Each structure stands twice: as structure tokens, then as C-alpha cells.
Amino acid sequence: MDRTVPARAELADFLRARRATAGLTYREMSRRMRGMPSKTTFERAASGACDPTLKTVEIYVELTMTKEEEFNLGLGAATDQARQLWIKARRATRAPYYLHKAPDPALISDRADFSRALRDQHVWAGYPSPGEMERMAGPGELPSSTTRRIIQGRSLPVTPEQTIAFLKACYVDAHGLEPWLQAGVRVFKRRDEADVHSHVPWLGALYSVRREPRPTDTPQASSGELIELAPSIGNLGQKRAA
């Protein structure tokens, strides 16, 4: 097995251990999938010599389900571990030398910063393809053509909702979305913008995310944000009515 890239080797070791526990050959795994992925694809995924697709890794994990997983816990933990190892392996071979940690949305102050941070988050997530991100987001939420422009730095997401879809497809969880939406409020609240109300949808999205149930707590929007949100929406409605 190739151990040139330690992160790739770590993913390969994980996959090989699961196959050994399941007692399956690569040929048997491919036969169960009617040849797609092929025996060779499974072999390469666990070789440490390349970055397999996330889909191949997920199928590999599903085919090597243990008895304990089948009757007790399910594949949630194994799939999450496989995904994190896959991201780590992709990051090790594709991330630029200067990117040593996930981007910090608190450092975003303008549109250029926002665009750069979104691109860095995409890299930190292991470079998921536009097609993969579109499938993760759901029909119509994040078209691959739009994702491609965001990744290339040619445009920003059109709406806060599209930003959320992009970030979720880059494996940012609900808790991690808050600082990104706060950054959106800062960026679009600048008084030199043509539309002084352009930050209002970002405030609404931020409040909605904070209202979503959490495993441990459910922090709400601060009173200052709510006070700002209410008159802003009212003024926006009056402006449109005029």
C-alpha cells in the first residue's frame, strides 16, 4: 500500500480494516453493486495511491457494514468517520500551502473577503465537485453552474439561502453557519451600497438559523438584532410599496 501521503494512507487503512472485518473480496463487493463501482475502483480506493470519490467511499462503507452496525448503531458514525478521512485526504493533496485551517468568517469585511473565504471553505472541505454539491443541496437550491462561478471567484451566492446551501455542501453545520451569516450582514450593511436594505435578508436568515433546534441548546437572536430587523423590514416594505 502507498503511504506517501499519510492522510491518504489513513483513509486506506480505515477502508481495508472494514473490508477485512466484513470478510469480503473486492470482486464480491463489485458483484453486489452489479459492477458499478468495479473491482479495480474498490482496490484503488483502498490503495492509498489516489483520492477516491466520496461516493465510492460511501458505497465501500455501506457494503462492509458490520453486524454491530446492522443491529445497533447503523452506519452514521462510520459514514461520518469515512467522510472526515476523505476530506482530510483530499485537503492534503489539493489545498494550497497557505491554508492550514478553516477560514474564519469573523475576518470578512467586504465582498472580496467573502468570496475568498467561500473559496477557502470549499478547499477545506476537500474540493467537492459542483455536481456533488448540487446533489447535496437538493433540486434547484445550488445549480452546478452557479457553484462553479463561486468557486472560481467570479460571483457571490445570489441570496443568503444559496450561501447556506453552498456552505452545507462544504460540510459547515448549523452552528457554523451563524458567523457566516453575521459576515453577510456586515458586508451588505455597508452604507455605500446602492440598496441600504440589502442586509435585511441576511438578518432574517441569521434569525432563522438561530431558531433551528440544536442538540444541546437553541440560542436566539439578540434583542439588538431583533430590534434592527423589525423596522428594517417595515421600511423595506414601505419602499417597495412606494
Side-chain angles (χ1 to χ4, degrees), residues 3-13 48 51 84-93:
R3 295 190 177 276
T4 305
V5 180
R8 278 181 176 172
E10 189 176 359
L11 173 61
D13 285 337
D51 295 324
Q84 291 304 314
L85 290 172
W86 176 82
I87 291 172
K88 186 178 177 182
R90 297 261 290 201
R91 189 187 300 149
T93 56

Side-chain angles (χ1 to χ4, degrees), residues 25-104:
T25 66
Y26 292 121
R27 190 178 302 280
E28 289 170 335
M29 291 170 65
S30 181
R31 187 181 299 119
R32 292 187 180 187
M33 296 301 298
R34 298 185 179 182
M36 295 296 290
S38 66
K39 168 181 173 290
T40 301
T41 298
F42 283 127
E43 287 176 338
R44 285 179 58 79
S47 69
C50 67
D51 295 324
T53 66
L54 180 58
K55 185 66 175 178
T56 296
V57 170
E58 290 174 340
I59 292 173
Y60 198 120
V61 169
E62 183 177 352
L63 289 172
T64 55
M65 178 184 289
T66 65
K67 293 291 185 182
E68 181 181 6
E69 290 168 342
E70 183 176 358
F71 293 108
N72 296 313
L73 303 176
L75 282 173
T79 300
D80 287 344
Q81 184 178 359
R83 184 182 297 113
Q84 291 304 314
L85 290 172
W86 176 82
I87 291 172
K88 186 178 177 182
R90 297 261 290 201
R91 189 187 300 149
T93 56
R94 303 187 184 207
Y97 70 91
Y98 59 81
L99 192 63
H100 303 295
K101 60 181 180 179
D104 184 358

